[in-house]
Amino acid sequence: MTGLGWIAAIIIGGIAGWLAEQFMKSNMGILMNIILGIAGAVILNFIFVALVGATLGGWIGQLVVGFIGACILIAIARMFRRTA
């Protein structure tokens, strides 16, 4: 996550993952929320930088990126879970 420390990244990742869990109506647990929020933010930041050359900064920007990224990861996990 750009410009944030590890503790802030975990807090924002947890919040983003929890918001995505509520929005997508999934039941993952707190640890998975944090992982999905952080992983979603990292992946989406990478995509933004590759396509646009920039990403959203600050706490709010990373919360938005983490939320969107976590929603995408939850949707992907649901697709694989249904086919398996």
Side-chain angles (χ1 to χ4, degrees):
M1 296 189 156
T2 59
L4 300 175
W6 285 102
I7 294 174
I10 291 171
I11 293 169
I12 291 174
I15 294 169
W18 179 78
L19 289 172
E21 178 185 52
Q22 299 302 309
F23 182 75
M24 299 290 287
K25 306 227 184 318
S26 109
N27 188 14
M28 298 284 191
I30 188 71
L31 183 61
M32 192 55 114
N33 286 345
I34 293 170
I35 292 169
L36 284 174
I38 293 172
V42 168
I43 292 168
L44 206 54
N45 273 321
F46 178 75
I47 292 170
F48 280 165
V49 169
L51 295 178
V52 181
T55 187
L56 300 175
W59 284 66
I60 301 296
Q62 290 305 307
L63 181 63
V64 170
V65 171
F67 169 74
I68 294 169
C71 285
I72 291 170
L73 291 177
I74 290 171
I76 291 171
R78 284 182 179 171
M79 287 189 321
F80 281 112
R81 199 176 324 161
R82 287 190 181 134
T83 60

